[in-house]
């Protein structure tokens, strides 16, 4: 009996020693795996194949450039999806992402291989993305350009990621009129026109039309855009500006950054953000510093306060209806802010009217001159693709909004009035029907309960009138035997059952 505590102590120490030993072994194994993962290849040759590692939580490198600043690999998205991406390794910022026909899964069945083309495939859906080339190797340059090359004397490039940008433009990367930068949420894009740079929003995912919210025209201070002399292109210059060119080395427009012509500013990039702004950054060696913004006032962004939001300069966000508390851009229900009002269910909406509102980019929207607000409203009401109007009583301009309502600009001029359609929630009618059914069932239960109580009371009165013997005589002369207390308990049991 005295040895029992000693045995328990010995067993406890043994378990602790084993646990510590396993922990050390696990740490060593994990370190060696990490060290192996960083020793990625600097070229991919024909026959290369890779699948995502289920133990990797963020990024699995497959290929690196000669400096180790950039890596091509599997980027884990929303835990279950996979993107093939070029990442700035020190900051983990993606510079380029492949654009497959549908998202790939983070699964061992998903495969990336090189057979002359760099390919993403899944066994059930087939090829999701491909460079569609006949190259000899995949190479990543020290400027983050992913290339498919021929191994000839000049190592000619037959495909490059710089020709297919995602949301980012880097130094000395030509951005032409055939390209577009698209934000990671797919809502905003940057494109070039004949003599301007434009930012566009796709507020209605069911439509192919985009709404311009910024148009920066070439200032043509040192050179002019000449019609017929070719399209313009953009170039992010290492001296800290976004230059617009047509022919030659003289820019037709310069958008200067805060670090303009400051030496040693580090790697530069421009990205279209999920809020629709175009921003420029430079790398200090440890962090990215904001260096440029195409839109400096948040109220001029296309949807800074969300759908049915109101942005007032210097005051922030509120809701158009002036009743709903603003909560992280949720003045309206996103699930109801889509499509149009055409079709059998198109007329299910209510009207929201307010004044002191304007459109933040109305100079880029079409308008009609009308004699009154009522006429402007009726024009929208008759158009099933119209979501609302903003009308100026002073100018008579009627701006029709043919996409789900976004953020409006709050102004002091009360003569600027708004009329907006608000789609009724698809679940509202169901809730109303359910509420009615519930009320009906409750009323029915109350009636059943009342009936049971009434029946029990009449039965009790009848027995009491017959007498205290507890026996009741029927018309036929027969006798129904039953103690009074049992009848009472059974009657109340029926009442209890009806309550349940």
């Amino acid at each position: 009996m005295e040895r029992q505590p000693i045995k328990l102590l010995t067993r406890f120490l043994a378990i602790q020693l084993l646990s510590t030993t396993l922990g050390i072994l696990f740490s060593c194994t994990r370190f060696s795996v990490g060290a192996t993962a960083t020793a990625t290849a600097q070229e991919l040759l024909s026959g290369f194949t890779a699948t995502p590692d289920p133990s990797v939580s963020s990024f699995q490198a497959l290929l690196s450039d000669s400096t180790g600043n950039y890596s091509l690999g599997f980027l884990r998205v929303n835990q279950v999806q996979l993107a093939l991406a070029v990442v700035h390794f020190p900051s983990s910022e993606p510079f380029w992402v492949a654009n497959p026909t549908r998202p790939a899964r983070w699964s061992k069945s998903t495969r990336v291989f090189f057979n002359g083309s760099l390919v993403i495939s899944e066994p059930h859906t087939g090829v999701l993305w491909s460079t569609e080339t006949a190259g000899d190797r995949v190479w990543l340059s020290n400027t983050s350009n992913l290339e498919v090359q021929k191994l000839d004397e000049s190592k000619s490039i037959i495909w490059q990621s710089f020709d297919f940008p995602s949301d980012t433009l880097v130094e000395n990367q030509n951005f032409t009129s055939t390209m577009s930068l698209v934000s990671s949420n797919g809502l905003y894009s940057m494109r070039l026109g004949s003599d301007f740079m434009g930012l566009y929003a796709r507020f209605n995912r069911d439509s192919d039309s985009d709404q311009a919210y910024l148009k920066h025209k070439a200032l043509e201070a040192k050179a002019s855009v000449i019609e017929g002399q070719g399209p313009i292109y953009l170039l992010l210059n290492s001296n800290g500006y976004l230059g617009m060119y047509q022919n030659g080395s003289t820019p037709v427009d310069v958008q200067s950054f805060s670090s303009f012509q400051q030496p040693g500013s580090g790697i530069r990039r421009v990205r279209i953000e999920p809020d629709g702004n175009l921003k420029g950054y430079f790398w200090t060696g440890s962090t990215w510093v904001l260096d440029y913004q195409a839109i400096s006032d948040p109220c001029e962004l296309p949807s800074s306060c969300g759908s049915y939001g109101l942005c007032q300069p210097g005051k922030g966000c509120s809701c158009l209806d002036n009743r709903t508390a603003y909560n992280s851009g949720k003045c309206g229900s996103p699930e109801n802010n889509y499509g149009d009002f055409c079709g059998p269910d198109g007329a299910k909406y209510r009207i929201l009217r307010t004044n002191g509102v304007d459109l933040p980019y109305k100079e880029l929207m079409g308008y009609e001159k009308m004699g009154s607000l009522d006429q402007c409203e009726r024009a929208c009401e008759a158009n099933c693709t119209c979501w609302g109007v903003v009308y100026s009583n002073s100018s008579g301009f009627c701006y029709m909004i043919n996409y789900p309502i976004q953020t409006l600009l709050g102004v002091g001029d009360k003569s600027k009035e708004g009329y907006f359609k608000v789609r009724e929630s698809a679940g509202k009618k169901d809730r109303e029907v359910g509420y009615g059914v519930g009320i009906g069932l409750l009323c029915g239960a109350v009636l059943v309960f009342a009936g049971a109580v009434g029946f029990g009371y009449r039965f009790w009165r009848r027995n009491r009138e017959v007498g205290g013997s507890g026996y009741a005589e029927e018309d036929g002369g027969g006798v129904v035997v039953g103690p009074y207390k049992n009848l009472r308990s059974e009657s109340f049991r029926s009442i209890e059952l009806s309550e349940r």
Side-chain angles (χ1 to χ4, degrees):
M1 292 298 292
E2 293 178 357
R3 292 186 177 184
Q4 190 68 16
I6 297 173
K7 287 181 180 180
L8 289 174
L9 179 61
T10 305
R11 187 179 300 170
F12 174 78
L13 291 173
I15 291 171
Q16 287 290 91
L17 179 62
L18 179 61
S19 176
T20 304
T21 305
L22 289 174
I24 293 170
L25 288 172
F26 175 75
S27 299
C28 294
T29 304
R30 183 174 55 182
F31 179 79
S32 64
V33 169
T36 304
T38 57
T40 51
Q42 292 192 7
E43 66 176 2
L44 305 180
L45 300 175
S46 184
F48 167 83
T49 185
T51 58
D53 184 345
S55 66
V56 173
S57 61
S58 56
F59 182 74
Q60 179 181 341
L62 305 175
L63 175 70
S64 67
D65 77 313
S66 58
T67 66
N69 283 329
Y70 303 103
S71 291
L72 170 73
F74 298 135
L75 183 66
R76 196 158 193 163
V77 181
N78 298 327
Q79 297 299 318
V80 296
Q81 293 178 345
L82 173 151
L84 185 65
V86 173
V87 169
H88 179 248
F89 203 73
S91 66
S92 301
E93 285 286 346
F95 274 27
W96 175 84
V97 179
N99 185 24
T101 54
R102 58 178 294 276
R105 296 174 300 164
W106 192 280
S107 165
K108 284 190 173 181
S109 62
T110 301
R111 196 163 61 103
V112 167
F113 60 88
F114 180 64
N115 60 357
S117 296
L118 189 61
V119 179
I120 307 173
S121 73
E122 287 182 347
H124 300 298
T125 53
V127 174
L128 301 177
W129 177 86
S130 172
T131 58
E132 298 180 350
T133 52
D136 297 321
R137 75 166 181 173
V138 179
W139 175 261
L140 186 59
S141 76
N142 58 12
T143 62
S144 77
N145 190 21
L146 182 67
E147 303 171 2
V148 177
Q149 299 177 347
K150 294 291 287 184
L151 290 179
D152 49 22
E153 291 183 2
S154 61
K155 293 182 180 178
S156 55
I157 301 169
I158 59 175
W159 182 94
Q160 59 181 349
S161 61
F162 274 14
D163 290 339
F164 305 92
S166 48
D167 64 352
T168 299
L169 186 66
V170 300
E171 281 181 56
N172 302 316
Q173 177 182 357
N174 284 352
F175 182 80
T176 70
S177 58
T178 61
M179 300 176 183
S180 63
L181 292 187
V182 180
S183 62
S184 57
N185 56 13
L187 294 178
Y188 307 104
S189 62
M190 181 184 83
R191 302 194 295 271
L192 296 178
S194 58
D195 61 352
F196 66 90
M197 177 194 82
L199 299 182
Y200 301 86
R202 180 157 293 184
F203 294 130
N204 195 341
R205 294 182 183 270
D206 297 336
S207 172
D208 293 331
S209 62
D210 294 343
Q211 172 61 54
Y213 59 92
L214 182 141
K215 185 176 180 180
H216 178 83
K217 192 176 184 300
L219 295 178
E220 302 179 85
K222 294 184 178 181
S224 299
V225 177
I226 302 172
E227 189 175 353
Q229 293 298 308
I232 61 171
Y233 64 94
L234 283 180
L235 190 70
L236 176 56
N237 195 286
S238 58
N239 285 328
Y241 65 88
L242 195 59
M244 191 182 295
Y245 300 83
Q246 187 182 35
N247 291 308
S249 58
T250 305
V252 297
D253 183 75
V254 170
Q255 296 184 66
S256 301
F257 292 7
S258 298
S259 62
F260 179 58
Q261 292 185 339
Q262 293 180 15
S265 295
I267 301 168
R268 297 183 182 276
R269 65 185 172 98
V270 169
R271 181 172 68 186
I272 186 161
E273 302 289 352
D275 65 358
N277 208 350
L278 184 71
K279 294 183 178 181
Y281 305 87
F282 70 84
W283 177 248
T284 64
S286 59
T287 188
W288 290 102
V289 175
L290 181 64
D291 203 24
Y292 159 82
Q293 293 185 94
I295 300 173
S296 56
D297 185 352
C299 285
E300 292 180 3
L301 290 171
S303 195
S304 56
C305 298
S307 58
Y308 295 93
L310 183 69
C311 188
Q312 294 177 286
K315 295 183 179 179
C317 295
S318 59
C319 293
L320 275 176
D321 62 9
N322 205 27
R323 296 192 306 271
T324 307
Y326 178 79
N327 182 19
S328 303
K330 293 184 179 178
C331 294
S333 300
E335 65 271 16
N336 295 328
N337 223 27
Y338 65 92
D340 52 38
F341 298 95
C342 305
D345 297 325
K348 296 178 181 178
Y349 60 86
R350 59 184 175 85
I351 299 300
L352 170 63
R353 290 183 174 88
T354 188
N355 57 27
V357 295
D358 209 348
L359 291 161
Y361 39 84
K362 66 180 182 182
E363 67 276 4
L364 300 176
M365 296 183 66
Y367 65 86
E368 290 184 47
K369 191 162 186 177
M370 296 188 178
S372 66
L373 172 62
D374 182 63
Q375 183 183 357
C376 183
E377 289 183 1
R378 281 190 278 110
C380 181
E381 188 177 359
N383 185 349
C384 65
T385 64
C386 176
W387 279 78
V389 294
V390 172
Y391 180 77
S392 173
N393 283 291
S394 57
S395 66
F397 292 170
C398 176
Y399 295 90
M400 196 168 292
I401 305 169
N402 291 318
Y403 51 80
I405 302 301
Q406 304 300 313
T407 299
L408 275 292
L409 185 65
V411 295
D413 187 356
K414 301 300 182 184
S415 69
K416 294 182 177 180
E417 302 188 65
Y419 162 96
F420 310 107
K421 296 176 182 178
V422 183
R423 189 192 300 278
E424 292 287 4
S425 173
K428 183 176 181 182
K429 185 175 180 182
D430 295 336
R431 287 196 302 271
E432 289 173 350
V433 170
Y435 179 76
V437 170
I439 291 294
L441 290 172
L442 179 61
C443 291
V446 170
L447 290 173
V448 169
F449 177 77
V453 171
F455 174 79
Y457 178 73
R458 287 195 301 271
F459 201 79
W460 174 75
R461 284 290 300 267
R462 182 180 178 187
N463 279 279
R464 190 170 183 182
E465 289 170 359
V466 170
S469 63
Y471 297 90
E473 194 173 307
E474 292 193 332
D475 294 339
V479 175
V480 178
V481 180
Y484 173 75
K485 60 181 180 180
N486 288 343
L487 288 173
R488 186 173 181 271
S489 64
E490 288 297 320
S491 174
F492 273 84
R493 186 180 301 168
S494 68
I495 294 171
E496 289 172 1
L497 287 173
S498 69
E499 284 183 302
R500 292 172 192 165

